[in-house]
Amino acid sequence: MRLELLRGYVLLAALCAVAGGPAYAEKGDLKFQVPKSAPLLQGKTLDLRFAKFAQGIWVTDLDYCPAPSIDRSVPGTTLAIYRGLLETPGRICQVYGAEQSDGRTQRAAINCLLTDGGEAIELVTVQPRGTNVLMVQEGEDPPVQFRFCRKIIPILQAASN
């Protein structure tokens, strides 16, 4: 009889601990209240890909076009941008946050895998100059002018043609 009574008290204590919790917390007490749009981000569109104007293979000099492949090009001369990816000789990067406020300039935070095995997090700004020129600025470096070389055709689309 005492054993059954002891089991009852233990069960009751366990139920009270689970139901009440520390300091009688209510549902949602541990959640943070986050504003739906931070003032810093108002009026800006966030995305995980580059703008359409930046899509393609770009070269600093049209003599480098068509590039044999991006990874075999001379460093600093060739750049490929497709959706959320940016590739240059020596690295391939993925966008993890991009903002486009005025429709003409886009800043993107990118995470890069370097061919030597290292990683880098960078900020890149792209801005069109007409239809065939793209200004690209990496971090605090001066902007570099790239000329449009060719469109990137997705593998599945190329295979169906």
Side-chain angles (χ1 to χ4, degrees):
M1 183 85 142
R2 284 185 177 197
L3 185 58
E4 288 177 26
L5 189 59
L6 184 61
R7 283 185 187 161
Y9 286 130
V10 169
L11 180 60
L12 183 61
L15 286 174
C16 286
V18 170
Y24 301 99
E26 294 290 329
K27 182 178 180 183
D29 281 353
L30 301 177
K31 294 182 180 177
F32 294 100
Q33 295 296 326
V34 179
K36 297 215 184 272
S37 179
L40 182 64
L41 301 177
Q42 287 179 351
K44 297 180 180 174
T45 303
L46 294 179
D47 204 347
L48 295 177
R49 60 176 60 189
F50 284 100
K52 289 188 186 239
F53 67 74
Q55 308 279 320
I57 297 176
W58 302 85
V59 293
T60 54
D61 187 332
L62 288 176
D63 290 340
Y64 295 119
C65 187
S69 69
I70 305 304
D71 62 335
R72 293 188 195 130
S73 298
V74 176
T77 63
T78 310
L79 157 67
I81 296 176
Y82 185 69
R83 295 186 180 173
L85 298 175
L86 177 142
E87 184 178 1
T88 64
R91 67 187 179 150
I92 186 162
C93 309
Q94 184 173 6
V95 173
Y96 66 86
E99 68 177 17
Q100 188 173 349
S101 57
D102 62 2
R104 303 281 304 153
T105 302
Q106 184 182 39
R107 296 183 74 174
I110 54 177
N111 184 14
C112 302
L113 180 61
L114 309 175
T115 53
D116 66 5
E119 289 186 42
I121 294 176
E122 299 180 15
L123 181 66
V124 65
T125 304
V126 292
Q127 184 176 28
R129 297 278 195 236
T131 57
N132 292 325
V133 176
L134 185 70
M135 298 300 289
V136 179
Q137 182 176 9
E138 297 179 31
E140 298 296 320
D141 293 344
V144 177
Q145 181 175 303
F146 286 87
R147 298 197 177 280
F148 183 77
C149 175
R150 66 177 187 198
K151 182 179 174 181
I152 296 175
I153 299 171
I155 293 173
L156 296 176
Q157 185 180 354
S160 66
N161 289 337

